[in-house]
Amino acid sequence: AAIGRSLHEPVDPAAIPLSSSSVDLCHSGNALEHYAPDLLRSYLRECYRILRPGGIASHVIDHRDHLHHVDRGWPFLFHQALPGALYGPLFGHPLLYHNRLRPSEMARLLAEAGFEQIIIRRAGANCEYVTDDELLRLKPGFPSRLLPARGGAWSSLDQRTAYAHYLCRKPKDRYQGIA
């Protein structure tokens, strides 16, 4: 209030209490990987709704296994290889939940919400953003033969992406300014 703004918390990610086309930027950092896919879809639709045409969606997603943060010797995509019967008990708790979406699936969810991609900046296990060609020279986060094809095949880029910055925009109305 002291700076003329309002704070809304807690907020349901599927019902953001802001007017449509009222903000220029939606940003998150290392949070959306903790949303279940259905809630993530709803949140991205809400981001699209509240952004003005031409507004930017900027989301950094950590695709790494939570245990990799504690022990760097742990493969960063190990959680992807776990069958559901093991994944649920290990990562099903709200404090450890990780949605296991591949980078290509995240990009698809943004496109389905209506966003046009500007760029996906990817980082490998070295934790530095690199070009796609540089990323392809890095070691995969887990042996590809052991990664299940839940929802589609693993691309070479997905296998090597530890985290990614998804930068998108809400398209400007193509009919804007037409009388």
Side-chain angles (χ1 to χ4, degrees):
I3 61 170
R5 299 291 182 245
S6 60
L7 175 64
H8 303 276
E9 63 180 2
V11 172
D12 176 358
I16 300 172
L18 295 171
S19 301
S20 296
S21 300
S22 64
V23 299
D24 295 312
L25 172 68
C26 287
H27 174 73
S28 70
N30 298 328
L32 299 184
E33 65 270 16
H34 301 284
Y35 284 20
D38 288 341
L39 182 58
L40 181 55
R41 280 183 189 88
S42 296
Y43 172 75
L44 294 174
R45 283 192 301 267
E46 278 295 280
C47 285
Y48 187 88
R49 180 188 64 79
I50 66 173
L51 278 171
R52 290 183 179 99
I56 300 295
S58 169
H59 301 291
V60 177
I61 308 290
D62 189 347
H63 295 283
R64 295 172 290 185
D65 188 304
H66 287 48
L67 298 176
H68 175 76
H69 297 294
V70 177
D71 180 355
R72 297 294 181 183
W74 192 264
F76 71 82
L77 290 180
F78 181 76
H79 66 299
Q80 293 284 2
L82 291 174
L86 287 176
Y87 181 81
L90 287 173
F91 296 100
H93 188 280
L95 293 176
L96 288 177
Y97 177 76
H98 194 287
N99 62 33
R100 300 204 287 181
L101 292 172
R102 295 185 313 274
S104 58
E105 291 174 300
M106 183 63 199
R108 189 189 80 242
L109 290 179
L110 285 158
E112 287 173 3
F115 290 103
E116 57 185 28
Q117 180 179 304
I118 296 171
I119 191 169
I120 299 174
R121 296 179 61 221
R122 298 170 184 262
N126 60 0
C127 296
E128 295 177 10
Y129 287 115
V130 293
T131 67
D132 288 355
D133 289 340
E134 292 168 320
L135 188 67
L136 289 171
R137 289 192 286 271
L138 299 176
K139 182 179 173 185
F142 202 75
S144 59
R145 71 184 186 285
L146 301 175
L147 290 171
R150 286 184 312 270
W154 282 80
S155 72
S156 293
L157 289 173
D158 283 352
Q159 292 174 31
R160 289 162 174 79
T161 301
Y163 62 90
H165 181 190
Y166 301 84
L167 193 60
C168 304
R169 78 169 56 88
K170 179 178 181 176
K172 291 187 176 183
D173 185 355
R174 60 186 157 172
Y175 302 107
Q176 189 174 7
I178 297 176

